């Protein structure tokens, strides 16, 4: 059913910390690894070992250079996947009802058995979060690892999306963004979490934490002038050790 | 946006096909018998042929019937309903005119309205997309509807109407182009809002996610041929609007009429190619392109 729910009981989603992400692409690999053998059709690759490899991914990491007015440029790694929007335009355009948003937790999913592969939902998504699988002819997108987060066959610490579980930098957080008391909501409040393309009116659930302001090199010189060494020669036990070793 | 040949063929042919059906529904020309058969056959070949062509780009055409289910929210689904309704009602009108020498005016008007509704629904599939600012305007339905009406008049042999509607749709076309060239800039969506990093400084795409292009880039970050856009626009205007008008102004002959129709179809196809090839999808901003 492509009519969007008025409200959802919970708003499960991700909080991605652009300050912490090191751009290692581990989440991309973990996502592809889990989702190619879990929900729905596999994530196919075309010409994987050839000159023009291409494939379906539900999560991709971009890298941007940000040049402030003064000071050094910053490199920001930018993971991007479905933001599970509250006003998801990808859902309402779907002619078959294959795309839907769940009323219980807000996850946006595709029922692949009903998808005709028209691609209109991918056109409607501003974020490039939907990709048509070239082998299967159906639309693939992030499921928020719906088959992990409620999976009682997995140990408790694994019941989070594969990308969150794998991130070595701790740059990805999963939780209920509809509950103001949840860890993720408090993180968003504390760090000024933001929406991508707010003017598109999609009201994304996923939030991005902006990079913290960087120190400026010249300011550092002023605030902390280099200290002169207090003694040239080390004394005490270390001094003795140093001299003893010198003699050997 | 990637200009898929099947979609260009579909919107061009079915647009003019439904336009012709709409004129036939109004009883212009008031054909019956064999002539009616010829007119209705051409109209159905164009309209239905276009619809069939549009299924070629589907990943799973065998499930196409499911596309009738979501008319509450989806313009694609509404288009499916409108087109089937229009084709059915006009089939009754056509059968009446061809086999029984009778026209049922009320039914014809309903059929015409349904034909225009179909073209409107088709145009709304594009016009609804905030992600493609060039399309996201009420001018898009105006463009599609005026083209269908003008092309239909041309095909229906209504030179008086065609000579008004062709220049009119030409003007709409030019206005649509001029607005479109500013649309992305006016949409307020740029790399700063896409990444949210604009507050820190000027944002530049440093590294794409992968070393070779993906579905998103092939489908939505299509940029080939934009440098010929101006030439193509001139060609579209000339073939689609100016030449057919000139051919209509000289004394009538079937050869010139056929030439006018062919030229118009070529011009509309060129304009549809540009409709897609020039359209910037905002996802291109994540790739540092537009
Ligand atoms: S990010 Fe794109 S695919 Fe995901 S819900 Fe929003 S519009 Fe739909
Ligand atoms: S590609 Fe599939 S999920 Fe997307 S709009 Fe078409 S039918 Fe719906």
């Amino acid at each position: 059913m492509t009519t969007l729910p008025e409200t959802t009981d919970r708003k499960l989603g991700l909080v991605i910390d652009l300050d912490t992400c090191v751009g290692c692409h581990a989440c991309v690999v973990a996502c592809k690894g889990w989702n190619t053998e879990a929900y729905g059709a596999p994530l196919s690759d075309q010409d994987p070992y050839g000159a023009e490899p291409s494939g379906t991914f539900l999560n991709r990491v971009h890298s941007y250079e940000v040049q402030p007015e003064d000071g050094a440029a910053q490199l920001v790694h930018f993971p991007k996947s479905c933001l599970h929007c509250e006003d998801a335009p990808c859902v309402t355009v779907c002619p078959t009802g294959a795309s839907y948003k769940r009323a219980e937790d807000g996850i946006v999913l595709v029922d692949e058995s009903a998808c005709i592969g028209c691609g209109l939902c991918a056109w409607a998504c501003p974020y490039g979060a939907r990709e048509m699988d070239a082998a299967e002819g159906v639309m693939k997108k992030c499921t928020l690892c719906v088959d992990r987060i409620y999976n009682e066959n997995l140990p408790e610490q694994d019941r989070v999306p594969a990308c969150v579980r794998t991130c070595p930098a701790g740059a990805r957080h999963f939780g209920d963004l509809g509950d103001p008391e949840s860890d993720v909501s408090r993180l968003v409040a504390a760090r000024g979490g933001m929406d991508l393309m707010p003017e598109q009116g999609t009201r994304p659930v996923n939030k991005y934490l902006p990079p913290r302001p960087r120190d400026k090199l010249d300011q550092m010189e002023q605030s902390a002038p280099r200290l002169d060494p207090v003694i040239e020669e080390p004394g005490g036990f270390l001094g003795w050790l140093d001299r003893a070793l010198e003699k050997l | 946006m990637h200009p898929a040949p099947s979609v260009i063929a579909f919107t061009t042919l079915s647009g003019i096909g439904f336009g012709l059906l709409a004129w036939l529904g109004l009883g212009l020309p008031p054909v019956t018998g064999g002539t009616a058969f010829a007119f209705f056959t051409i109209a159905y070949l164009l309209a239905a042929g276009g619809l069939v062509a549009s299924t070629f780009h589907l990943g799973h055409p065998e499930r196409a019937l499911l596309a009738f289910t979501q008319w509450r929210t989806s313009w694609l689904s509404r288009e499916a309903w409108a087109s089937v309704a229009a084709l059915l009602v006009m089939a009754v009108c056509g059968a009446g005119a061809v086999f029984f020498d009778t026209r049922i005016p009320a039914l014809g008007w309903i059929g015409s309205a349904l034909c225009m509704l179909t073209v409107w629904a088709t145009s709304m599939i594009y016009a609804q997309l905030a992600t493609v600012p060039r399309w996201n305007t009420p001018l898009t339905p105006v463009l599609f509807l005026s083209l269908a009406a003008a092309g239909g008049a041309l095909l229906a042999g209504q030179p008086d109407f065609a000579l008004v509607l062709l220049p009119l749709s030409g003007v709409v076309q030019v206005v649509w182009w001029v607005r479109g060239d500013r649309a992305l800039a006016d949409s307020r969506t740029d790399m700063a809002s896409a990444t949210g990093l604009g507050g820190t400084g000027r944002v530049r795409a440093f590294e794409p996610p992968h070393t070779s292009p993906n579905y998103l880039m092939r489908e939505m970050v299509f940029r080939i041929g934009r440098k010929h856009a101006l030439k193509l626009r001139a060609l579209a205007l000339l073939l689609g609007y100016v030449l057919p008008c000139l051919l209509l102004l000289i004394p009538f002959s079937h050869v010139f009429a056929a030439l006018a129709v062919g030229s118009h179809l070529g011009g509309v196809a060129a304009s549809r190619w540009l409709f897609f090839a020039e359209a910037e999808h905002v996802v291109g901003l994540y790739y540092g392109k537009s």
Side-chain angles (χ1 to χ4, degrees), chain A residues 4-187:
Chain A
L4 290 168
E6 290 272 318
T7 55
T8 58
D9 299 341
R10 294 192 295 158
K11 296 176 187 167
L12 295 187
L14 301 175
V15 173
I16 294 170
D17 190 342
L18 297 178
D19 194 65
T20 313
C21 174
V22 293
C24 69
H25 290 241
C27 54
V28 177
V29 178
C31 169
K32 180 113 172 175
W34 176 265
N35 285 296
T36 201
E37 52 193 29
Y39 185 99
L43 302 170
S44 71
D45 289 317
Q46 281 69 44
D47 195 21
Y49 306 108
E52 278 278 302
S54 179
T56 312
F57 287 80
L58 311 183
N59 176 32
R60 294 183 184 263
V61 179
H62 296 249
S63 298
Y64 299 103
E65 183 196 69
V66 189
Q67 177 68 62
E69 281 287 306
D70 51 346
Q74 293 174 30
L75 194 61
V76 179
H77 302 292
F78 200 98
K80 188 161 55 60
S81 53
C82 172
L83 292 91
H84 298 279
C85 306
E86 290 188 61
D87 278 334
C90 57
V91 170
T92 49
V93 298
C94 175
T96 65
S99 282
Y100 60 103
K101 184 171 175 73
R102 309 209 311 178
E104 63 269 36
D105 52 17
I107 300 180
V108 175
L109 289 175
V110 176
D111 169 6
E112 292 173 12
S113 68
C115 173
I116 56 173
C118 65
L120 192 55
C121 53
W123 287 10
C125 170
Y127 309 106
R130 291 176 166 244
E131 301 191 14
M132 180 97 74
D133 188 84
E136 225 35 69
V138 294
M139 197 51 75
K140 303 293 298 185
K141 70 177 291 300
C142 161
T143 66
L144 213 58
C145 284
V146 68
D147 46 4
R148 288 175 68 98
I149 58 178
Y150 298 115
N151 192 336
E152 292 185 355
N153 296 317
L154 295 178
E156 178 127 30
Q157 70 267 29
D158 283 338
R159 289 181 212 155
V160 291
C163 56
V164 174
R165 185 75 179 95
T166 213
C167 178
R172 306 179 69 95
H173 308 270
F174 164 71
D176 180 5
L177 287 140
D179 170 8
E181 291 310 312
S182 69
D183 287 350
V184 280
S185 294
R186 285 186 305 180
L187 189 59

Side-chain angles (χ1 to χ4, degrees), chain B residues 23 149-155 157-169 245 248:
Chain B
W23 285 102
L154 193 63
L155 222 57
Q158 302 296 314
D160 296 346
F161 287 108
L163 278 173
V164 176
L165 287 169
L166 277 174
L168 204 71
S169 51
C245 281
L248 285 182

